[in-house]
Amino acid sequence: MGDPVVRVLRGAPDETELAALVAVLAAIGAPKPAEPEVPAPRPRRLPHFQPATSWRTLR
């Protein structure tokens, strides 16, 4: 197997504490899932400017 990956320097953790530590280290080292591609927003066409006194606003 080789050298241990995790070594306890102080204390005497029980099996559940070691399992929790290994689970956290495995979660940190796991690759992140790819984010789905979000399509770029389509540009909006703004209406043409009409002044408030325009004859078009009287419709």
Coordinates of all heavy atoms in Angstrom, one line a residue:
M1 N 0.8 -1.2 0.0 CA 0.0 0.0 0.0 C 0.9 1.3 0.0 O 0.5 2.2 -0.7 CB -0.9 0.0 1.2 CG -2.2 -0.6 1.0 SD -3.3 -0.3 2.4 CE -4.6 0.5 1.7
G2 N 1.9 1.3 0.8 CA 2.7 2.5 0.8 C 2.5 3.3 2.1 O 2.0 2.8 3.1
D3 N 3.0 4.5 2.1 CA 2.9 5.4 3.3 C 1.4 5.8 3.5 O 0.7 6.0 2.6 CB 3.7 6.6 3.1 CG 5.2 6.3 3.0 OD1 5.6 5.3 3.6 OD2 5.9 7.0 2.3
P4 N 1.1 6.0 4.8 CA -0.3 6.5 5.1 C -0.5 7.9 4.6 O 0.4 8.7 4.6 CB -0.4 6.4 6.6 CG 1.0 6.4 7.1 CD 1.8 5.8 6.0
V5 N -1.7 8.2 4.1 CA -2.0 9.5 3.6 C -2.4 10.4 4.7 O -2.0 11.6 4.7 CB -3.2 9.4 2.6 CG1 -3.6 10.7 2.1 CG2 -2.9 8.4 1.5
V6 N -3.0 9.9 5.8 CA -3.4 10.8 6.9 C -2.7 10.2 8.2 O -2.7 9.0 8.4 CB -4.9 10.7 7.1 CG1 -5.3 11.6 8.3 CG2 -5.6 11.3 5.9
R7 N -2.1 11.1 8.9 CA -1.4 10.7 10.2 C -1.9 11.5 11.3 O -2.0 12.8 11.2 CB 0.1 10.8 10.0 CG 0.8 10.4 11.2 CD 2.3 10.4 10.9 NE 2.7 11.8 10.7 CZ 4.0 12.1 10.5 NH1 5.0 11.3 10.6 NH2 4.3 13.4 10.3
V8 N -2.3 10.9 12.4 CA -2.8 11.6 13.6 C -1.6 11.9 14.5 O -0.8 11.0 14.8 CB -3.8 10.7 14.4 CG1 -4.2 11.5 15.6 CG2 -5.0 10.4 13.5
L9 N -1.4 13.2 14.7 CA -0.2 13.6 15.5 C -0.5 13.7 17.0 O 0.4 13.4 17.8 CB 0.3 15.0 15.1 CG 0.7 15.1 13.6 CD1 1.1 16.5 13.3 CD2 1.9 14.1 13.3
R10 N -1.7 14.1 17.4 CA -2.1 14.1 18.8 C -3.5 13.5 19.0 O -4.3 13.6 18.1 CB -2.1 15.6 19.3 CG -0.8 16.2 19.4 CD -0.9 17.6 20.0 NE 0.4 18.2 20.0 CZ 0.7 19.4 20.3 NH1 -0.3 20.2 20.6 NH2 1.9 19.9 20.3
G11 N -3.7 13.0 20.2 CA -5.0 12.4 20.5 C -5.2 11.0 20.0 O -4.3 10.4 19.4
A12 N -6.3 10.5 20.3 CA -6.7 9.1 19.9 C -8.1 9.1 19.3 O -9.0 8.8 20.0 CB -6.5 8.2 21.1
P13 N -8.2 9.5 18.1 CA -9.6 9.5 17.5 C -10.1 8.1 17.3 O -9.4 7.2 17.1 CB -9.4 10.2 16.1 CG -8.0 9.9 15.8 CD -7.2 9.9 17.1
D14 N -11.4 8.0 17.5 CA -12.1 6.6 17.3 C -12.4 6.5 15.8 O -12.1 7.3 15.0 CB -13.3 6.5 18.2 CG -14.4 7.5 17.9 OD1 -14.1 8.4 17.1 OD2 -15.4 7.4 18.6
E15 N -13.0 5.4 15.5 CA -13.3 5.0 14.1 C -14.2 6.0 13.4 O -14.1 6.4 12.2 CB -13.8 3.6 14.0 CG -12.9 2.5 14.4 CD -13.5 1.2 14.5 OE1 -14.7 1.1 14.2 OE2 -12.8 0.2 14.8
T16 N -15.2 6.5 14.2 CA -16.2 7.4 13.5 C -15.5 8.8 13.3 O -15.8 9.4 12.2 CB -17.4 7.6 14.5 OG1 -17.0 8.1 15.7 CG2 -18.2 6.3 14.6
E17 N -14.7 9.2 14.1 CA -14.0 10.5 13.9 C -13.0 10.4 12.7 O -12.9 11.3 11.9 CB -13.2 10.9 15.1 CG -14.1 11.3 16.3 CD -13.3 11.6 17.6 OE1 -12.2 11.1 17.7 OE2 -13.9 12.3 18.4
L18 N -12.3 9.3 12.6 CA -11.5 9.1 11.4 C -12.3 9.0 10.1 O -11.9 9.5 9.1 CB -10.6 7.8 11.6 CG -9.4 7.9 12.6 CD1 -8.7 6.6 12.7 CD2 -8.5 9.0 12.1
A19 N -13.4 8.3 10.2 CA -14.3 8.2 9.0 C -14.8 9.6 8.6 O -14.9 9.9 7.4 CB -15.4 7.3 9.3
A20 N -15.1 10.4 9.6 CA -15.6 11.8 9.2 C -14.5 12.6 8.6 O -14.7 13.3 7.6 CB -16.1 12.5 10.5
L21 N -13.3 12.5 9.1 CA -12.1 13.2 8.6 C -11.8 12.7 7.2 O -11.6 13.5 6.3 CB -10.9 13.0 9.5 CG -9.6 13.6 8.9 CD1 -9.7 15.1 8.9 CD2 -8.4 13.1 9.8
V22 N -11.9 11.4 6.9 CA -11.6 10.9 5.6 C -12.7 11.3 4.6 O -12.4 11.7 3.4 CB -11.5 9.4 5.6 CG1 -11.4 8.8 4.2 CG2 -10.2 9.0 6.4
A23 N -13.9 11.4 5.1 CA -15.0 11.8 4.2 C -14.9 13.3 3.8 O -15.1 13.7 2.6 CB -16.4 11.6 4.9
V24 N -14.5 14.1 4.7 CA -14.3 15.6 4.5 C -13.1 15.7 3.5 O -13.2 16.5 2.5 CB -14.1 16.4 5.7 CG1 -13.6 17.8 5.5 CG2 -15.3 16.4 6.6
L25 N -12.0 15.0 3.7 CA -10.9 15.1 2.8 C -11.2 14.6 1.4 O -10.7 15.2 0.4 CB -9.7 14.4 3.4 CG -9.1 15.0 4.7 CD1 -8.0 14.1 5.2 CD2 -8.6 16.4 4.5
A26 N -12.0 13.6 1.3 CA -12.4 13.1 0.0 C -13.3 14.1 -0.7 O -13.2 14.2 -1.9 CB -13.1 11.7 0.2
A27 N -14.2 14.7 0.0 CA -15.1 15.7 -0.6 C -14.3 16.9 -1.1 O -14.6 17.5 -2.1 CB -16.2 16.1 0.4
I28 N -13.3 17.3 -0.3 CA -12.5 18.5 -0.8 C -11.7 18.1 -2.0 O -11.6 18.9 -2.9 CB -11.6 18.9 0.4 CG1 -12.4 19.5 1.5 CG2 -10.5 19.9 -0.1 CD1 -11.6 19.9 2.7
G29 N -11.2 16.9 -2.1 CA -10.3 16.5 -3.2 C -11.1 16.1 -4.4 O -10.5 15.9 -5.5
A30 N -12.4 15.9 -4.3 CA -13.2 15.4 -5.5 C -13.3 16.5 -6.5 O -13.4 17.7 -6.2 CB -14.6 15.0 -5.0
P31 N -13.3 16.2 -7.8 CA -13.5 17.2 -8.8 C -14.9 17.8 -8.8 O -15.9 17.0 -8.5 CB -13.2 16.4 -10.2 CG -13.5 15.0 -9.8 CD -13.1 14.8 -8.4
K32 N -15.0 19.0 -9.1 CA -16.3 19.7 -9.1 C -17.1 19.3 -10.4 O -16.5 19.2 -11.4 CB -16.2 21.2 -9.0 CG -15.5 21.6 -7.7 CD -15.5 23.1 -7.6 CE -14.8 23.5 -6.3 NZ -14.8 24.9 -6.1
P33 N -18.4 19.1 -10.3 CA -19.2 18.8 -11.5 C -19.2 20.0 -12.4 O -19.1 21.1 -12.0 CB -20.6 18.5 -10.9 CG -20.6 19.2 -9.6 CD -19.2 19.2 -9.1
A34 N -19.2 19.7 -13.7 CA -19.3 20.7 -14.7 C -20.6 21.4 -14.7 O -21.7 20.9 -14.5 CB -19.1 20.1 -16.1
E35 N -20.5 22.8 -14.7 CA -21.7 23.6 -14.7 C -22.4 23.5 -16.1 O -21.7 23.6 -17.1 CB -21.4 25.0 -14.3 CG -20.9 25.1 -12.9 CD -20.6 26.6 -12.5 OE1 -21.1 27.5 -13.2 OE2 -19.9 26.8 -11.5
P36 N -23.7 23.5 -16.1 CA -24.4 23.5 -17.4 C -24.2 24.8 -18.1 O -24.1 25.9 -17.5 CB -25.8 23.2 -17.1 CG -26.0 23.6 -15.7 CD -24.6 23.4 -15.0
E37 N -24.0 24.8 -19.4 CA -23.9 26.0 -20.2 C -25.2 26.8 -20.2 O -26.2 26.3 -20.6 CB -23.4 25.7 -21.6 CG -22.0 25.3 -21.7 CD -21.5 25.3 -23.1 OE1 -22.1 26.0 -24.0 OE2 -20.6 24.5 -23.4
V38 N -25.1 28.0 -19.8 CA -26.3 28.9 -19.9 C -26.2 29.7 -21.1 O -25.2 30.4 -21.4 CB -26.3 29.8 -18.6 CG1 -27.5 30.8 -18.7 CG2 -26.3 29.0 -17.3
P39 N -27.2 29.7 -22.0 CA -27.1 30.5 -23.2 C -27.1 32.0 -22.9 O -27.6 32.5 -21.9 CB -28.4 30.1 -23.9 CG -29.4 29.6 -22.9 CD -28.5 29.0 -21.8
A40 N -26.3 32.7 -23.8 CA -26.2 34.1 -23.6 C -27.5 34.8 -23.8 O -28.3 34.4 -24.7 CB -25.2 34.7 -24.6
P41 N -27.9 35.8 -23.1 CA -29.1 36.5 -23.3 C -29.2 37.2 -24.6 O -28.2 37.7 -25.1 CB -29.2 37.5 -22.1 CG -27.8 37.7 -21.7 CD -27.1 36.4 -22.0
R42 N -30.3 37.1 -25.2 CA -30.5 37.8 -26.5 C -30.6 39.3 -26.3 O -31.3 39.7 -25.4 CB -31.7 37.2 -27.2 CG -31.6 35.8 -27.6 CD -32.8 35.2 -28.2 NE -33.1 36.0 -29.4 CZ -34.2 35.9 -30.2 NH1 -35.1 35.1 -29.8 NH2 -34.4 36.6 -31.2
P43 N -30.0 40.1 -27.2 CA -30.1 41.5 -27.0 C -31.6 42.0 -27.3 O -32.2 41.4 -28.2 CB -29.2 42.1 -28.1 CG -28.9 41.0 -29.0 CD -29.1 39.7 -28.3
R44 N -32.0 42.9 -26.5 CA -33.4 43.4 -26.7 C -33.4 44.6 -27.6 O -32.5 45.4 -27.5 CB -34.0 43.8 -25.3 CG -34.2 42.6 -24.4 CD -34.9 43.0 -23.1 NE -33.9 43.7 -22.3 CZ -34.2 44.5 -21.4 NH1 -35.4 44.7 -21.0 NH2 -33.3 45.2 -20.7
R45 N -34.4 44.7 -28.4 CA -34.5 45.9 -29.2 C -35.4 46.9 -28.5 O -36.5 46.6 -28.2 CB -35.1 45.5 -30.6 CG -34.2 44.6 -31.4 CD -34.8 44.3 -32.7 NE -34.6 45.6 -33.5 CZ -35.1 45.8 -34.7 NH1 -35.8 44.9 -35.3 NH2 -34.9 47.0 -35.3
L46 N -34.8 48.0 -28.2 CA -35.6 49.0 -27.5 C -36.4 49.8 -28.5 O -36.1 50.0 -29.7 CB -34.6 50.0 -26.9 CG -33.7 49.4 -25.8 CD1 -32.7 50.4 -25.3 CD2 -34.5 48.8 -24.7
P47 N -37.6 50.2 -28.1 CA -38.5 51.0 -29.1 C -37.8 52.3 -29.4 O -37.1 52.9 -28.6 CB -39.8 51.2 -28.3 CG -39.4 51.0 -26.9 CD -38.3 50.1 -26.8
H48 N -38.2 52.9 -30.5 CA -37.6 54.2 -30.9 C -38.1 55.2 -30.0 O -39.3 55.2 -29.5 CB -38.0 54.5 -32.4 CG -37.4 53.6 -33.3 ND1 -36.1 53.6 -33.7 CD2 -38.0 52.6 -34.1 CE1 -35.8 52.6 -34.6 NE2 -37.0 52.0 -34.8
F49 N -37.3 56.2 -29.7 CA -37.7 57.3 -28.8 C -38.8 58.1 -29.5 O -38.8 58.5 -30.6 CB -36.5 58.2 -28.6 CG -36.8 59.4 -27.7 CD1 -37.1 59.3 -26.4 CD2 -36.9 60.7 -28.3 CE1 -37.4 60.4 -25.6 CE2 -37.2 61.8 -27.5 CZ -37.4 61.6 -26.2
Q50 N -39.8 58.4 -28.6 CA -40.9 59.3 -29.1 C -41.1 60.4 -28.0 O -41.4 60.0 -26.8 CB -42.2 58.5 -29.2 CG -42.2 57.5 -30.4 CD -43.5 56.8 -30.5 OE1 -44.5 57.1 -29.8 NE2 -43.6 55.8 -31.3
P51 N -40.9 61.6 -28.3 CA -41.1 62.6 -27.3 C -42.6 62.7 -26.8 O -43.5 62.2 -27.5 CB -40.8 63.9 -28.0 CG -40.3 63.6 -29.4 CD -40.5 62.1 -29.6
A52 N -42.8 63.2 -25.7 CA -44.1 63.2 -25.1 C -45.1 64.1 -25.9 O -46.3 63.9 -25.8 CB -44.0 63.7 -23.6
T53 N -44.6 65.0 -26.6 CA -45.4 65.9 -27.4 C -45.6 65.4 -28.8 O -46.1 66.2 -29.7 CB -44.9 67.3 -27.4 OG1 -43.5 67.3 -28.0 CG2 -44.8 67.9 -26.0
S54 N -45.3 64.2 -29.1 CA -45.3 63.7 -30.5 C -46.8 63.4 -30.9 O -47.6 63.0 -30.0 CB -44.5 62.4 -30.6 OG -44.7 61.8 -31.9
W55 N -47.1 63.5 -32.1 CA -48.5 63.2 -32.6 C -48.7 61.7 -32.5 O -49.9 61.3 -32.5 CB -48.7 63.7 -34.0 CG -47.7 63.1 -35.0 CD1 -46.5 63.6 -35.3 CD2 -47.9 62.0 -35.8 NE1 -45.9 62.8 -36.3 CE2 -46.8 61.8 -36.6 CE3 -49.0 61.0 -35.9 CZ2 -46.6 60.7 -37.4 CZ3 -48.8 60.0 -36.8 CH2 -47.6 59.8 -37.5
R56 N -47.7 60.9 -32.4 CA -47.9 59.5 -32.4 C -48.4 59.1 -31.0 O -49.0 58.0 -30.9 CB -46.6 58.8 -32.6 CG -46.1 58.9 -34.1 CD -44.8 58.1 -34.3 NE -44.3 58.3 -35.6 CZ -43.2 57.8 -36.1 NH1 -42.5 57.0 -35.3 NH2 -42.8 58.0 -37.3
T57 N -48.1 59.8 -30.0 CA -48.6 59.4 -28.7 C -50.1 59.7 -28.5 O -50.7 59.3 -27.5 CB -47.8 60.2 -27.6 OG1 -48.0 61.6 -27.8 CG2 -46.4 59.8 -27.6
L58 N -50.7 60.5 -29.4 CA -52.1 60.8 -29.3 C -53.1 59.8 -29.8 O -54.3 59.9 -29.8 CB -52.4 62.1 -30.1 CG -51.6 63.3 -29.6 CD1 -51.9 64.6 -30.5 CD2 -52.0 63.7 -28.2
R59 N -52.6 58.6 -30.3 CA -53.4 57.5 -30.8 C -54.3 57.0 -29.7 O -54.1 56.8 -28.6 CB -52.6 56.4 -31.4 CG -51.9 56.8 -32.6 CD -51.2 55.6 -33.2 NE -50.3 56.0 -34.2 CZ -49.6 55.2 -34.9 NH1 -49.6 53.9 -34.6 NH2 -48.7 55.6 -35.8

